[in-house]
Amino acid sequence: MMETMLDIKALEGQYSSGIYAKRDLVITRGSGALLYDEQGSEYIDCVGGQGTANVGHCQPTVIAAIQEQIQKLMICPEMFHNPTRAQFQARLCGLVPGMQRAYLCNSGTEAVEAAIKFARYSTGRPGIVAAMRGFHGRTLGSLSATWNKKYRDGFEPLVPGFSHVPYDNLEKLQEAVNDSTAAVLLEVVQGEGGVYPGSAEFLQGAQEICRQRGALLIIDEVQTGFGRTGQMFAFQHHGLQPDLVAMGKSIAAGIPMGAVLLGERVTQLSPGVHGSTFGGNPVACAAGLAVLDLLEGQQLPQRAARLGKALMDEIAALNLPAVREVRGKGLMIGIETRGKVAGLLGALAEKGVLALPAGLTVIRLLPPLVISGEQLQTVKQALIEVLSA
Ligand code: PMP
């Protein structure tokens, strides 16, 4: 067994692209909020597939939906109609009042790319105003909206027309949006940038500025969507009505999928404007339908709100010396520490808890929303031990 494990690490070390820093773990199985390594050791998964596992790993109803679809039809390009896709698009639009149509693709970055293109197409304007600390993906368009130099350096020239304003600074946003602005592109809770929830004032103000200047509001819900923050979508906390919503990650429980919802202020798109060979794949759509059934049927957004708030309050109340701040929304939690988190994440893993960094100093928790109260207590205990050491 040990030998095989070394083989796997060596194989990946030799043949994978090299762009991912890998942890010393070989994961072979998942169930609910748990992951298992090759030797059968169990971990509580607060990486959550980097935000993809909201309904949990290998949920039986998702598996059943995929199996049923995969036996009927695996490939159906958008040149044909398809019942599973038709149903899924309608369900997605039905989640947000005012949404007219849905574009389906295969990842978060593709959803952001498409939203940017649709905003330019719709307004005939080039400008995209995004936020400092924002993260929107790594293909050239979404990378141009992503702020941190560490992702951008070495890849210039990026796409022209992009600018960045400080997150939560309405005055600067007001100055940046003008007659050539196609869209303002924002996360409601900045994820990769360090888990920073935006204020209602800023986000509602951004929407107002867009309306005044004839620009569109694109909300990036790739990480915050599908119940993560305690609402189906994070913008619903603030009563926003975005024009375009980009989504991905948990949308299809791990089957690759992205989507953009298009509101009434977006011009009707015509054939050929954009496209994707795999977009709207019926297997992904079947998984997506099962995800919506689970989120709604088990009230998982409400569960995330309740469990997340309790955990954040409990950790904050301990006033641990290593902790600078606990922030987040629902089960999207950032623990800002007074030092670098790499060692802390290793120590957590040794205690059976997998978590993510957000930048150098923040421990980020994105557990499946089905995580049990008991599992969350184990996570809390491990955090206390690691942060007290
Ligand atoms: N937008 C946000 C807010 C994200 O967090 C991410 C991924 N971390 C992306 C876009 C890009 O998604 P993907 O990696 O699926 O392309």
Side-chain angles (χ1 to χ4, degrees):
M1 192 66 117
M2 200 59 199
E3 217 174 321
T4 352
M5 204 160 111
L6 288 174
D7 284 347
I8 292 163
K9 289 179 193 168
L11 260 183
E12 284 230 291
Q14 184 171 354
Y15 291 109
S16 71
S17 65
I19 60 178
Y20 301 103
K22 290 202 192 279
R23 304 223 185 142
D24 196 26
L25 272 178
V26 178
I27 299 295
T28 54
R29 202 159 59 81
S31 173
L34 297 174
L35 287 175
Y36 298 86
D37 69 14
E38 217 185 11
Q39 291 163 307
S41 299
E42 182 181 289
Y43 299 88
I44 300 178
D45 180 22
C46 294
V47 169
Q50 299 176 322
T52 299
N54 287 10
V55 300
H57 293 281
C58 297
Q59 275 302 330
T61 58
V62 176
I63 294 172
I66 291 170
Q67 278 174 340
E68 193 189 329
Q69 180 62 46
I70 218 159
Q71 283 168 2
K72 274 193 300 211
L73 188 67
M74 277 170 75
I75 300 167
C76 184
E78 291 252 18
M79 64 192 290
F80 303 116
H81 293 285
N82 174 264
T84 312
R85 182 165 58 223
Q87 227 188 317
F88 182 59
Q89 286 169 334
R91 278 284 289 279
L92 269 187
C93 288
L95 295 175
V96 183
M99 287 298 157
Q100 313 277 299
R101 292 173 182 277
Y103 164 72
L104 301 177
C105 51
N106 316 285
S107 66
T109 196
E110 278 180 67
V112 172
E113 292 284 341
I116 291 167
K117 283 184 71 179
F118 297 156
R120 284 183 166 178
Y121 178 85
S122 188
T123 59
R125 301 170 174 189
I128 305 292
V129 180
M132 292 176 181
R133 277 195 325 236
F135 184 94
H136 299 286
R138 299 177 191 250
T139 51
L140 287 170
S142 65
L143 183 61
S144 307
T146 291
W147 178 72
N148 197 319
K149 261 170 70 68
K150 84 173 178 198
Y151 305 115
R152 302 162 60 98
D153 274 358
F155 303 110
E156 289 92 356
L158 296 178
V159 178
F162 286 71
S163 60
H164 295 86
V165 299
Y167 193 64
D168 249 14
N169 186 325
L170 212 48
E171 221 166 283
K172 292 279 191 242
L173 185 69
Q174 186 110 32
E175 283 167 28
V177 178
N178 55 40
D179 288 351
S180 65
T181 305
V184 172
L185 166 58
L186 296 170
E187 295 159 274
V188 174
V189 181
Q190 292 188 312
E192 305 299 321
V195 190
Y196 288 96
S199 69
E201 189 193 5
F202 174 69
L203 294 160
Q204 289 163 2
Q207 175 169 299
E208 186 57 33
I209 291 168
C210 286
R211 299 285 193 271
Q212 284 166 5
R213 308 275 159 84
L216 300 174
L217 178 63
I218 307 173
I219 294 293
D220 181 343
E221 290 274 354
V222 171
Q223 189 163 149
T224 47
F226 300 97
R228 170 61 51 197
T229 70
Q231 290 271 1
M232 187 62 88
F233 297 108
F235 67 78
Q236 293 170 326
H237 288 289
H238 306 299
L240 301 181
Q241 285 188 300
D243 300 301
L244 297 126
V245 185
M247 39 188 83
K249 291 197 191 274
S250 276
I251 186 170
I255 302 294
M257 177 176 253
V260 184
L261 291 187
L262 308 161
E264 37 202 34
R265 296 169 77 235
V266 179
T267 309
Q268 173 62 49
L269 305 171
S270 44
V273 160
H274 192 62
S276 158
T277 299
F278 286 142
N281 172 275
V283 180
C285 291
L289 282 166
V291 165
L292 293 180
D293 286 344
L294 281 165
L295 289 170
E296 291 172 353
Q298 299 189 6
Q299 304 198 318
L300 294 179
Q302 294 87 329
R303 182 181 172 77
R306 198 173 64 246
L307 294 181
K309 183 169 187 319
L311 183 63
M312 282 191 283
D313 287 351
E314 286 173 29
I315 296 175
L318 293 170
N319 284 316
L320 298 169
V323 174
R324 204 183 283 276
E325 190 184 20
V326 181
R327 56 180 182 253
K329 213 148 184 89
L331 281 172
M332 181 169 181
I333 297 173
I335 302 170
E336 172 98 48
T337 66
R338 296 188 191 276
K340 298 208 168 142
V341 294
L344 297 175
L345 295 173
L348 277 174
E350 277 171 22
K351 294 183 185 298
V353 173
L354 304 178
L356 281 166
L360 292 175
T361 57
V362 178
I363 297 175
R364 182 172 30 148
L365 307 174
L366 298 173
L369 313 184
V370 294
I371 190 169
S372 71
E374 200 182 319
Q375 287 166 335
L376 217 49
Q377 282 306 310
T378 306
V379 171
K380 186 182 106 183
Q381 205 47 47
L383 282 166
I384 292 171
E385 286 166 23
V386 161
L387 290 165
S388 308

